[in-house]
């Protein structure tokens, strides 16, 4: 549910709470029914009442649609993903993919630190699940961030398809930090 829907839901529930409080006041007899009926006849004759009723109806329809519709990606769990092989199904855990991707990132020159998060998702309008990788990097200052990111994406997609059978992989690469330590030079004695 998005932020706008949450905002609408807050005011909708507030209106329902006030309406129920009004029913409680009417049932206890705090306000005489004749005075309330006179005021209700006045309110029902106003155009503003129709406008408010239309807005409340539209908010109700929007919130009902949010209850039954799912537009976002569905997380398929924390354990792993099942890949269909020639001899049967193979379950690949998140830890295996995380370790494999971390090692692949460290094999690229210029990478100083790597943090990989793996999520198995399924889009609501597609049948095939996909793997989403969020990679946070710390790079050396003497290297190009764009070149390293392109090399990491290419290398990880190829290796995951080759060794683990994961074809549908998306990646979000973020460069968190640039290290100012240069490459280590050998000491001359």
């Amino acid at each position: 549910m998005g932020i706008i829907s949450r905002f609408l839901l807050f005011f909708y529930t507030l209106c329902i709470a006030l309406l129920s409080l009004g029913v409680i006041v009417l049932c206890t007899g705090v306000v005489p029914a004749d005075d309330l009926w006179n005021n209700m006849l006045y309110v029902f004759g106003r155009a503003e009442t129709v406008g408010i009723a239309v807005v409340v109806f539209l908010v109700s329809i929007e919130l009902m649609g949010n209850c039954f519709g799912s537009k976002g990606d569905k997380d398929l769990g924390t354990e792993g993903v099942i890949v269909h092989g020639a001899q049967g199904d193979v379950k690949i855990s998140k830890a295996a993919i995380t370790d494999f991707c971390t090692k692949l990132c460290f094999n690229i020159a210029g990478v100083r630190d790597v943090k990989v998060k793996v999520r198995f998702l399924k889009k609501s309008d597609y049948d095939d699940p996909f793997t989403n990788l969020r990679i946070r990097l710390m790079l050396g200052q003497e290297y190009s961030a764009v070149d390293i990111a392109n090399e990491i994406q290419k290398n990880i997609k190829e290796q995951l398809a080759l060794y683990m059978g994961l074809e549908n992989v998306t990646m979000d690469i973020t460069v968190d930090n640039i290290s100012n330590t240069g490459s280590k030079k050998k000491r001359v004695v």
Side-chain angles (χ1 to χ4, degrees):
M1 186 179 289
I3 189 73
I4 294 173
S5 296
R6 289 175 195 260
F7 183 73
L8 291 174
L9 183 61
F10 172 75
F11 284 111
Y12 190 75
T13 54
L14 186 66
C15 288
I16 297 298
L18 290 175
L19 182 65
S20 65
L21 186 63
V23 169
I24 291 171
V25 168
L26 283 175
C27 290
T28 58
V30 174
V31 177
D34 293 335
D35 291 341
L36 185 64
W37 184 249
N38 189 24
N39 289 332
M40 292 296 284
L41 289 176
Y42 174 73
V43 168
F44 288 149
R46 308 284 298 174
E48 293 88 2
T49 306
V50 175
I52 291 172
V54 168
V55 168
V56 169
F57 176 74
L58 292 176
V59 167
S60 300
I61 297 298
E62 170 68 23
L63 292 175
M64 190 175 9
N66 284 338
C67 290
F68 298 114
S70 173
K71 296 179 184 175
D73 298 336
K74 179 181 176 188
D75 197 347
L76 294 179
T78 59
E79 291 302 316
V81 67
I82 295 176
V83 178
H84 304 289
Q87 301 297 321
D89 294 341
V90 177
K91 186 174 182 180
I92 302 172
S93 70
K94 282 185 176 184
I97 296 173
T98 301
D99 291 342
F100 187 67
C101 292
T102 302
K103 289 175 186 175
L104 289 174
C105 288
F106 275 124
N107 287 339
I108 295 173
V111 176
R112 302 284 186 249
D113 190 28
V114 177
K115 292 180 181 125
V116 178
K117 289 186 181 178
V118 179
R119 291 176 53 198
F120 303 119
L121 303 170
K122 182 177 179 183
K123 290 213 180 274
S124 61
D125 49 347
Y126 294 110
D127 290 334
D128 295 332
F130 66 96
T131 304
N132 179 264
L133 302 175
R134 291 183 182 227
I135 302 172
R136 299 177 95 63
L137 300 172
M138 181 171 73
L139 303 177
Q141 70 181 4
E142 63 274 0
Y143 296 94
S144 168
V146 175
D147 293 340
I148 290 176
N150 288 338
E151 189 174 347
I152 286 173
Q153 285 179 341
K154 179 179 170 262
N155 196 13
I156 287 178
K157 283 187 180 185
E158 287 175 357
Q159 298 298 322
L160 285 177
L162 181 65
Y163 291 112
M164 295 189 181
L166 297 175
E167 297 289 334
N168 199 0
V169 178
T170 61
M171 275 183 258
D172 301 321
I173 296 179
T174 304
V175 177
D176 271 347
N177 200 354
I178 304 292
S179 173
N180 61 358
T181 59
S183 59
K184 295 181 180 178
K185 296 182 181 179
K186 292 185 178 182
R187 189 173 141 192
V188 179
V189 180

